Amino acid sequence: EALRIELKPGGGVSIFANQQGREANFEGDLLINTIPLPALIDATPALQSPALKDAARQLRFRPLVLVYMLYDKKLDVRDTWLYYPESHVPFTRVSVPDNFNPHQPFEGKTCLCVEFTCEKGDSTWLAEPHDLAARAQEIFLQSGLLRAPLADALAVRLEYGYPVYQYGYESARTRILHALASCGSILTTG
């Protein structure tokens, strides 16, 4: 976890991170950033001008709860992604991580990743993993996708799930990207 990013005079970066409960320092000429822009601005004191902080606040994200559902048998789900646009379905997409990897890490088992969009602090965000998995399992059984009993589930909560493209986001994003380009030590993909 990045705690702080410092831009070095003349170029380069120092990244201070939490590494097993202790602060570690990593030095480099260039940081290839993948964290969301608001988190990058928060972590980089040199980028915390009032204008950039305001731009970062204007960028909104839709939080996600990813529920990983484990089954004790190999399920025949050939698609990598399954989309659920129906309003009665509480999740939006299911991915099958095993279909990305030809070297099956869980021989004879299947893992499904179910994406629940939400707001931070709402009932979905706060729900127990097995409660969310039970909701998904019910839809899977109703749709005929699978008939296997669930073996286990865990949840990963992502505050910055999907960007929200609302009016004005382009201007805020552009201000941040111009500031990053001018510092010369950060290339962002997040």
Side-chain angles (χ1 to χ4, degrees):
E1 172 189 356
L3 302 173
R4 186 173 73 259
I5 301 165
E6 293 183 2
L7 302 177
K8 295 159 110 182
V13 293
S14 291
I15 303 162
F16 297 88
N18 179 358
Q19 192 172 46
Q20 298 176 339
R22 302 178 81 176
E23 188 174 288
N25 180 16
F26 302 92
E27 305 275 328
D29 296 328
L30 177 69
L31 168 63
I32 299 175
N33 173 59
T34 60
I35 65 175
L37 293 174
L40 177 64
I41 298 300
D42 284 345
T44 311
L47 297 175
Q48 292 183 1
S49 70
L52 287 179
K53 287 171 91 173
D54 180 59
R57 276 192 297 273
Q58 291 178 39
L59 298 179
R60 291 198 47 242
F61 292 81
R62 183 85 162 139
L64 287 176
V65 178
L66 303 178
V67 178
Y68 291 89
M69 300 173 61
L70 184 65
Y71 296 88
D72 281 335
K73 66 183 272 187
K74 184 72 180 142
L75 302 175
D76 186 25
V77 182
R78 296 179 188 178
D79 294 310
T80 304
W81 295 285
L82 303 165
Y83 292 88
Y84 287 81
E86 297 89 354
S87 61
H88 73 280
V89 177
F91 52 87
T92 56
R93 180 169 75 169
V94 176
S95 62
V96 186
D98 296 349
N99 291 349
F100 287 104
N101 182 0
H103 309 288
Q104 300 298 316
F106 302 110
E107 192 63 40
K109 298 180 184 235
T110 301
C111 177
L112 301 179
C113 175
V114 183
E115 296 183 11
F116 289 83
T117 57
C118 60
E119 292 298 331
K120 189 174 178 184
D122 72 9
S123 60
T124 299
W125 181 266
L126 298 172
E128 292 295 322
H130 284 278
D131 294 338
L132 294 173
R135 288 191 225 164
Q137 182 76 354
E138 184 179 330
I139 298 295
F140 296 158
L141 293 171
Q142 288 172 1
S143 69
L145 176 66
L146 56 90
R147 302 251 178 258
L150 179 66
D152 201 3
L154 69 89
V156 175
R157 289 164 176 78
L158 302 174
E159 185 175 345
Y160 298 102
Y162 289 115
V164 175
Y165 299 114
Q166 64 188 21
Y167 180 77
Y169 90 91
E170 301 101 330
S171 173
R173 183 176 164 270
T174 299
R175 280 185 278 159
I176 294 171
L177 293 178
H178 281 288
L180 292 174
S182 70
C183 80
S185 297
I186 300 175
L187 176 64
T188 191
T189 63

